[in-house]
Amino acid sequence: MRRQRNAGTPPVLLNMDRARPILRLSFMKPVPPNQQAALVDRLMSACGGAYTPEQRRRYFITGPQWAAAYEGHALFHAPTRHAVGFEQVIREYAKIGIGWWCTHDTDVIPTADIGKDGQHKIVERIDACLKENGLKCSMVTTETFHHAVWAASPAAESPAVREYAAYRVKNTVDIGHRLGAQFAVYWPGSLGYFMQGAVEETETLKWYAEALNAACEHDIEAAKKLNRPTLKHCMEAKPFEPQAEILLPTSDAMLGFIGSGLLTHPEMVGLNPEYLHELMWGGAPRAVLARALLAKKLWHFDINDGYRLKHDVDIAVGLVNPLDWMLVLMLLRSHGYNGPFNLDFKPPRTTSNHGVFAVSFPTAVDRFITLWEMAGEALEDPIIKEATDALKAGGELPADRHDAQAITESNRDLLSLHELIAHRLVQILLGLHRGRVYSL
Ligand code: GLO
Ligand code: MG
Ligand code: MG
């Protein structure tokens, strides 16, 4: 027997007698289940590069209840993790250094208890738990997509469903004020239809606006009574669900909706774009965010990662598109965005309950902070600065200002700087600007 290794193929042992590969795997020592968490912890600390909880708390990073409590289930997937309650999530976020927590109403309150005594008791327990662990509640959101009552969306034909939707969003506003939140988010789920032609789109959108109006009007009264500012109401778009056509599929569609005249308080309503949701329809997230910034509606931001034109895989920030993420953060830093960065991702099904808090959350936070700091470095980079300034200065003005060819010639070599800037950004991302070279 001899070992043979070909580039690009996994290591195998060749049995020369029979020339049949035997997987090396069979020679590896199994890791007993009671040693696996310790192995994960040891390799996590071997990775290095972790920030301290104090450093992490300096950023407005918010941790959703539903992200940490996600059990790994989906349309074709059974859960792979056991349920965890808000006490554990809040405690673990505190240990990691995630300073803010947010939730859907029904992540923590059973639907049957909503608005009843049961809700009151749970909200008091949440408040106490947050205080005990030094966390704040940043945002509350209404679940208007999971329960069977929303089968035809929260803007269904049935007046009873719509009245219930208005009741639910108003109740969430009250929970938000009780917990000291600043934001309310609305992801309408499959607002649209499963059967084309079965609903009239303009009517559905008007009904949807009625629910948002109810929330805003209720908020104005509630805030006045409590002497608190009103919440910032943020709409979140997603272009497709496995089965439905969506009426407000993108942040741009939602900007149009906010300005449509259907809202009684459009000044109270902004956006919560989600990075992946914009990528899912094929958009450039940075351009989407730029449009939201120009409209002064970028108030809240769900951060995660994934692929273009695919499902809502909700991978953690920076695992798929770290370069694009650095560029997104350059845009946000240079425009002084100071809203929350909400970790709306799903720890993968392969990650255990231990791994959710030992790997998923701390690594997501640390990648975000690193990318944020690198974005700051890129904004200060003298090469990028000089190149950008030169592009903006442009070539000399030609004698005939209407001569297209002369204008082209006067800028010709300057335009190579676009590619040079892109190279420099990758150098910053990979740390190559510090002089790292690979030896061959
Ligand atoms: C689902 C959405 C969801 C929302 C949440 C907040 O795809 O991203 O997680 O962000 O319901 O309203
Ligand atoms: Mg989201
Ligand atoms: Mg998503």
Side-chain angles (χ1 to χ4, degrees), residues 66 104 139 141-142 145 185-187 236 238 241 272 274 277 302 312 314 342 344 346:
W66 67 89
H104 293 101
M139 177 273 268
T141 176
T142 313
F145 43 86
V185 165
Y186 302 86
W187 171 58
E236 176 181 341
K238 171 152 78 168
E241 279 301 308
N272 171 42
E274 179 174 308
H277 293 176
D302 274 3
D312 194 19
D314 283 332
N342 187 37
D344 192 10
K346 294 201 164 56

Side-chain angles (χ1 to χ4, degrees), residues 35-48:
Q35 292 174 20
Q36 294 175 5
L39 171 72
V40 168
D41 293 347
R42 183 167 58 73
L43 292 180
M44 264 298 292
S45 89
C47 281

Side-chain angles (χ1 to χ4, degrees), residues 95-406:
K95 277 197 248 162
I96 292 168
I98 296 171
W100 283 265
W101 174 86
C102 58
T103 193
H104 293 101
D105 50 0
T106 57
D107 291 342
V108 285
I109 305 157
T111 303
D113 285 340
I114 292 279
K116 309 229 167 81
D117 236 25
Q119 164 173 319
H120 183 68
K121 287 187 190 131
I122 293 169
V123 172
E124 293 311 307
R125 273 171 48 215
I126 294 173
D127 190 48
C129 185
L130 288 168
K131 287 197 175 115
E132 197 178 308
N133 288 281
L135 262 79
K136 293 201 170 93
C137 172
S138 55
M139 177 273 268
V140 285
T141 176
T142 313
E143 174 267 301
T144 53
F145 43 86
H146 186 75
H147 193 282
V149 72
W150 313 124
S153 95
E157 296 91 336
S158 158
V161 171
R162 299 204 307 273
E163 194 189 315
Y164 180 65
Y167 165 71
R168 283 283 295 267
V169 291
K170 288 193 284 183
N171 181 63
T172 302
V173 166
D174 290 337
I175 298 174
H177 281 298
R178 174 65 193 87
L179 294 177
Q182 295 164 257
F183 299 89
V185 165
Y186 302 86
W187 171 58
S190 36
L191 175 71
Y193 32 74
F194 297 98
M195 300 297 149
Q196 305 256 357
V199 303
E200 208 274 290
E201 289 81 351
T202 64
E203 207 165 40
T204 307
L205 288 171
K206 282 182 194 154
W207 288 332
Y208 185 57
E210 282 171 13
L212 278 175
N213 291 341
C216 291
E217 283 154 25
H218 181 73
D219 189 8
I220 292 170
E221 281 174 30
K224 206 182 286 164
K225 272 192 215 141
L226 296 164
N227 200 22
R228 290 194 82 228
T230 52
L231 304 177
K232 289 187 148 149
H233 297 256
C234 307
M235 299 179 69
E236 176 181 341
K238 171 152 78 168
F240 38 82
E241 279 301 308
Q243 294 164 315
E245 292 291 340
I246 311 283
L247 287 181
L248 293 170
T250 64
S251 290
D252 296 300
M254 285 185 162
L255 281 180
F257 179 74
I258 294 169
S260 68
L262 290 175
L263 296 182
T264 50
H265 291 281
E267 76 288 354
M268 290 173 73
V269 182
L271 292 180
N272 171 42
E274 179 174 308
Y275 178 87
L276 177 60
H277 293 176
E278 303 301 333
L279 208 59
M280 280 168 70
W281 65 264
R286 208 170 108 127
V288 173
L289 294 167
R291 296 191 288 270
L293 281 168
L294 284 177
K296 300 202 172 16
K297 291 295 190 185
L298 185 62
W299 296 354
H300 198 280
F301 186 23
D302 274 3
I303 63 171
N304 56 12
D305 215 335
Y307 308 94
R308 269 205 159 96
L309 304 175
K310 291 214 177 170
H311 281 283
D312 194 19
V313 287
D314 283 332
I315 292 171
V317 57
L319 285 182
V320 182
N321 297 296
L323 175 63
D324 192 47
W325 257 108
M326 187 181 87
L327 307 182
V328 159
L329 295 180
M330 284 173 72
L331 181 82
L332 298 192
R333 281 192 75 140
S334 63
H335 283 266
Y337 170 78
N338 62 5
F341 291 99
N342 187 37
L343 295 164
D344 192 10
F345 73 100
K346 294 201 164 56
R349 294 181 85 221
T350 43
T351 294
S352 70
N353 274 83
H354 174 75
V356 166
F357 297 113
V359 180
S360 293
F361 280 92
T363 57
V365 169
D366 288 350
R367 281 192 306 279
F368 171 81
I369 295 176
T370 305
L371 289 160
W372 175 264
E373 295 304 326
M374 280 170 26
E377 204 179 318
L379 287 170
E380 294 299 317
D381 183 69
I383 295 175
I384 295 178
K385 256 194 167 149
E386 191 175 338
T388 307
D389 287 348
L391 280 161
K392 286 182 186 163
E396 275 169 3
L397 291 173
D400 178 357
R401 309 269 182 95
H402 297 165
D403 181 343
Q405 195 52 37

